[in-house]
């Protein structure tokens, strides 16, 4: 991350800090950051304990803390002078899975409750930490209510990828979709950053999350390896959120086995019979080619 920030903002504008550094390296980075007015420090939780830098105005939690106490400590790195500051939490699908699997009333569950709050986040945070209630100084929910706007439930980059697949259903393979979405995302952001900030691996990660959330799927048959969206009803969506993915796979396999035992094989139409015939011929030819290529 420090390398990416340096490439964008220039040399000497960003540095990193972690527990694996030597004492001399840590002291050097600490002095640089303390004396800097516009420096960016990418750090693990190793930084901050005992540090009192008054002009930190933004904290970005790239990896969501496991416990809400850790979040409060990390967010508290900014605003030591009482100025208005920003705390931005990145919450991904892996964090959501961890939240769903957490025990009720646990510290991990409290972190997810804070993220999914529909009321004032400051109030939720103080309730979890046992603090006294005060007037909100400006969380995103309260700010949105004052402005009369609705907060989005999904990330715009994931929406862009999903809409691209929705408009081109069963057309792109995964590699082709990555290329198309990669180009579209860079077209949208190049006006802001004046450079391409998206890489193919970023788009591949977005697609992996969409697969994990069961929003897209890989087709078979005539559209083999092509991407398509998954249509859902509200009732099905509710059930899928509760049942783990492994259990769903086992239920699907069990249903197929039961159908094979109880239901007689249906008669194929002429169209499907022709497809099956040419499919088997193709497989035979492929096997023959493999045999002829084998060394004697």
């Amino acid at each position: 991350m420090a390398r990416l920030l340096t490439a964008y903002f220039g040399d000497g504008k960003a540095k990193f800090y972690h527990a694996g550094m030597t004492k001399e390296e840590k002291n050097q980075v600490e002095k640089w950051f303390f004396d800097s007015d516009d420096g960016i420090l990418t750090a693990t939780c190793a930084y901050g304990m005992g540090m009192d830098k008054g002009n930190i105005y933004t904290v970005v939690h790239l990896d969501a803390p496991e416990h809400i106490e850790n979040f409060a400590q990390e967010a508290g790195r900014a605003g030591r002078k009482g100025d208005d500051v920003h705390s931005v939490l990145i919450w991904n699908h892996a964090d959501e899975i961890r939240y769903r699997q957490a025990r009720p009333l646990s510290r991990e569950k409290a972190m997810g409750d804070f993220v999914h709050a529909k009321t004032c986040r400051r109030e939720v945070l103080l309730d979890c930490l046992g603090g006294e209630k005060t007037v909100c100084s400006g969380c995103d929910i309260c700010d949105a209510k004052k402005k009369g706007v609705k907060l989005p439930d999904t990330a715009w980059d994931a929406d862009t990828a999903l809409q691209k697949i929705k408009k081109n259903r069963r057309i792109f393979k995964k590699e082709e979709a990555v290329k198309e979405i990669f180009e579209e995302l860079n077209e949208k952001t190049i006006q802001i950053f004046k450079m391409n900030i998206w890489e193919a691996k970023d788009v591949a990660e977005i697609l992996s999350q969409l697969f994990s959330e069961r929003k897209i799927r890989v087709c078979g048959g005539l559209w083999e390896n092509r991407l398509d969206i998954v249509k859902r009803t509200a009732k099905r969506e509710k059930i899928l959120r509760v049942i783990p993915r492994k259990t769903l796979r086992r239920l699907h396999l069990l249903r197929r086995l039961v159908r094979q035992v109880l239901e007689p094989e249906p008669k194929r139409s002429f169209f499907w019979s022709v497809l099956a015939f040419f499919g088997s011929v193709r497989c035979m030819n492929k096997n023959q080619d493999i045999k002829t290529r084998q060394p004697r």
Side-chain angles (χ1 to χ4, degrees):
M1 181 53 66
R3 192 181 296 111
L4 290 173
L5 291 170
T6 299
Y8 181 73
F9 291 102
D11 291 337
K13 290 295 184 181
K15 291 185 182 294
F16 60 86
Y17 188 101
H18 58 80
M21 297 168 65
T22 63
K23 189 175 181 180
E24 291 75 15
E25 289 173 334
K26 288 181 181 179
N27 291 337
Q28 194 175 15
V29 173
E30 286 170 9
K31 186 180 184 308
W32 166 82
F33 189 53
F34 193 84
D35 295 339
S36 176
D37 290 328
D38 59 354
I40 304 170
L41 185 65
T42 60
T44 62
C45 57
Y47 178 84
M49 300 303 291
M51 302 296 174
D52 190 16
K53 182 174 169 62
N55 59 343
I56 298 177
Y57 300 104
T58 304
V59 175
V60 179
H61 310 264
L62 189 60
D63 295 321
E66 291 186 8
H67 307 136
I68 200 162
E69 295 90 345
N70 296 350
F71 170 77
Q73 287 180 355
E74 292 175 13
R77 305 284 189 265
R80 297 284 174 96
K81 289 182 178 179
D83 298 322
D84 290 337
V85 295
H86 296 279
S87 174
V88 182
L89 174 64
I90 309 298
W91 187 261
N92 60 30
H93 186 61
D95 300 319
E96 184 67 21
I97 292 173
R98 188 171 67 242
Y99 163 67
R100 292 177 191 172
Q101 295 174 347
R103 291 179 292 104
L105 304 178
S106 64
R107 296 161 72 195
E108 292 82 3
K109 201 74 172 176
M111 187 68 228
D113 292 339
F114 171 75
V115 171
H116 289 280
K118 300 298 181 184
T119 57
C120 174
R121 293 196 199 277
R122 185 182 181 85
E123 187 178 325
V124 175
L125 184 63
L126 290 173
D127 284 343
C128 293
L129 299 176
E132 296 181 3
K133 292 184 179 180
T134 59
V135 178
C136 181
S137 57
C139 71
D140 58 335
I141 294 175
C142 292
D143 283 347
K145 284 182 180 179
K146 288 177 184 177
K147 295 175 183 177
V149 296
K150 186 179 178 182
L151 291 173
D153 294 328
T154 55
W156 73 269
D157 49 3
D159 282 339
T160 301
L162 192 61
Q163 290 303 318
K164 190 74 174 179
I165 295 169
K166 190 175 181 179
K167 290 177 182 177
N168 301 276
R169 296 180 61 186
R170 303 171 187 172
I171 292 179
F172 298 131
K173 293 183 178 179
K174 186 178 178 181
E175 296 77 14
E176 296 168 345
V178 166
K179 185 181 177 182
E180 292 289 329
I181 297 165
F182 159 76
E183 291 175 354
E184 186 170 336
L185 289 174
N186 274 319
E187 283 176 9
K188 287 185 176 181
T189 55
I190 199 167
Q191 297 175 1
I192 302 169
F193 299 103
K194 309 304 179 185
M195 62 183 291
N196 291 334
I197 61 170
W198 292 93
E199 297 179 0
K201 63 179 182 180
D202 301 324
V203 180
E205 186 178 346
I206 293 171
L207 293 182
S208 296
Q209 289 201 12
L210 292 175
F211 278 120
S212 182
E213 293 171 4
R214 305 183 187 99
K215 290 184 178 180
I216 60 174
R217 66 187 180 94
V218 177
C219 298
L222 294 174
W223 298 278
E224 189 175 2
N225 295 328
R226 309 286 173 176
L227 299 185
D228 194 8
I229 61 168
V230 176
K231 291 186 177 180
R232 296 180 178 178
T233 61
K235 186 176 179 182
R236 185 169 182 263
E237 180 76 20
K238 216 172 192 178
I239 295 169
L240 286 175
R241 283 182 180 178
V242 178
I243 303 174
R245 194 172 183 182
K246 272 188 179 178
T247 308
L248 284 173
R249 284 179 181 173
R250 288 171 183 170
L251 289 172
H252 179 66
L253 290 171
L254 182 62
R255 185 180 66 175
R256 287 177 63 183
L257 289 171
V258 170
R259 280 184 175 177
Q260 288 175 5
V261 173
L262 299 180
E263 296 180 6
E265 188 177 350
K267 292 182 179 179
R268 289 176 175 173
S269 64
F270 175 75
F271 174 74
W272 291 111
S273 299
V274 171
L275 281 179
F277 170 75
F278 281 110
S280 60
V281 169
R282 184 182 174 186
C283 290
M284 288 172 63
N285 291 336
K286 191 174 181 181
N287 291 335
Q288 287 176 0
D289 290 342
I290 292 170
K291 288 179 182 178
T292 54
R293 289 172 188 173
Q294 287 179 352
R296 294 179 182 177

